[in-house]
Amino acid sequence: MKFFIDTASVKEIREAASYGILDGVTTNPSLLSKEQGEPLAILKEICSIVDGPVSAEVVALDKDGMVREALDLVKIHPNIVIKIPLTKEGVKAIRELSQKGIRANATLVFSSNQAMLAAKAGASFVSPFIGRLDDAGHVGMDLVREIVTIYGNYGFETEVIVASVRNALHVVDAAIAGAPIVTCPFNVIELMFKHPLTDAGIKKFLEDWDKIKKRGQA
Ligand code: E4P
């Protein structure tokens, strides 16, 4: 299973990369808007930190505009993957980019039908938005299970990126569903480390070790 981080914060990406568990990065216009600095420069810096796919999203709504933006974005670094919303124009753009050998990540995916269209168009990645489905009263993870099954049934090579992750349980459920990739906000990566029994265990080990040292001094 690959772990991506879902942020445009260079600080968070540097920190998560230092753990040695990071396989890629996903950004979107909202995440980039939270950061100071020019988006292309930020994306370039991100690519210098993480050696893996870095998703950068187009904002044009028509196929030609999407492809034009994609061609500019891929100049940043060979690891750039073009994030394209799953619309009719988006599907056309994904097809054209895949024919040019440019990897696309079909984003804002909320149904298995959309995920099938992304795969048929040749998307390298598909991003079902789990948290936003949960927020709207659906079980987001059901969608992940469906897509993983459908892609398996037909041998589609498009990789599922479980996106819009809100908590550590989403990560476990994504793994149980067999999703190849999960993209987590920084706070969820931090939560994955935490367990009170680990902290309590370390405290006890150190206290007992101290007893040994004191015995030696007596
Ligand atoms: C996915 O690639 C998106 O960047 C992201 O996961 C959206 O998450 P949100 O629903 O928390 O905004």
Side-chain angles (χ1 to χ4, degrees), residues 16-218:
S18 77
Y19 309 150
I21 47 91
L22 209 53
D23 299 298
V25 180
T26 51
T27 69
N28 63 38
S30 302
L31 292 171
L32 281 160
S33 76
K34 291 184 197 161
E35 305 305 316
Q36 296 301 320
E38 204 273 316
L40 295 192
I42 296 173
L43 289 163
K44 192 170 181 179
E45 192 170 358
I46 293 172
C47 289
S48 75
I49 303 168
V50 179
D51 185 18
V54 174
S55 285
E57 190 158 342
V58 296
V59 289
L61 297 177
D62 63 299
K63 187 264 284 176
D64 288 340
M66 288 173 173
V67 170
R68 247 193 327 272
E69 285 179 25
L71 294 176
D72 279 341
L73 287 167
V74 292
K75 285 184 198 144
I76 298 174
H77 193 279
N79 284 348
I80 289 285
V81 170
I82 308 303
K83 226 174 175 187
I84 300 194
L86 199 293
T87 58
K88 283 183 189 168
E89 292 298 298
V91 165
K92 290 187 221 167
I94 291 168
R95 163 60 69 204
E96 188 167 325
L97 292 173
S98 80
Q99 282 166 344
K100 290 181 193 296
I102 295 173
R103 292 179 298 170
N105 173 0
T107 190
L108 289 169
V109 165
F110 294 95
S111 77
S112 292
N113 282 316
Q114 291 179 319
M116 283 189 267
L117 292 167
K120 288 289 291 178
S124 299
F125 304 96
V126 66
S127 293
F129 275 37
I130 301 319
R132 292 192 196 187
L133 277 170
D134 287 355
D135 293 346
H138 301 279
V139 180
M141 208 51 68
D142 283 349
L143 175 59
V144 172
R145 284 185 274 272
E146 281 181 22
I147 300 173
V148 167
T149 302
I150 292 166
Y151 282 8
N153 287 347
Y154 295 98
F156 283 127
E157 286 176 8
T158 306
E159 290 188 276
V160 179
I161 304 179
V162 177
S164 186
V165 163
R166 303 259 198 268
N167 55 57
L169 190 56
H170 275 157
V171 183
V172 175
D173 285 341
I176 292 170
I181 306 167
V182 64
T183 188
C184 301
F186 181 71
N187 73 303
V188 174
I189 294 178
E190 295 295 287
L191 285 171
M192 289 172 70
F193 280 94
K194 291 194 196 311
H195 199 287
L197 290 177
T198 304
D199 298 338
I202 290 171
K203 188 166 173 280
K204 178 79 172 102
F205 285 152
L206 291 182
E207 282 165 5
D208 291 343
W209 189 250
D210 224 34
K211 285 181 203 157
I212 299 175
K213 281 201 306 195
K214 283 194 179 121
R215 234 175 20 223
Q217 285 159 10

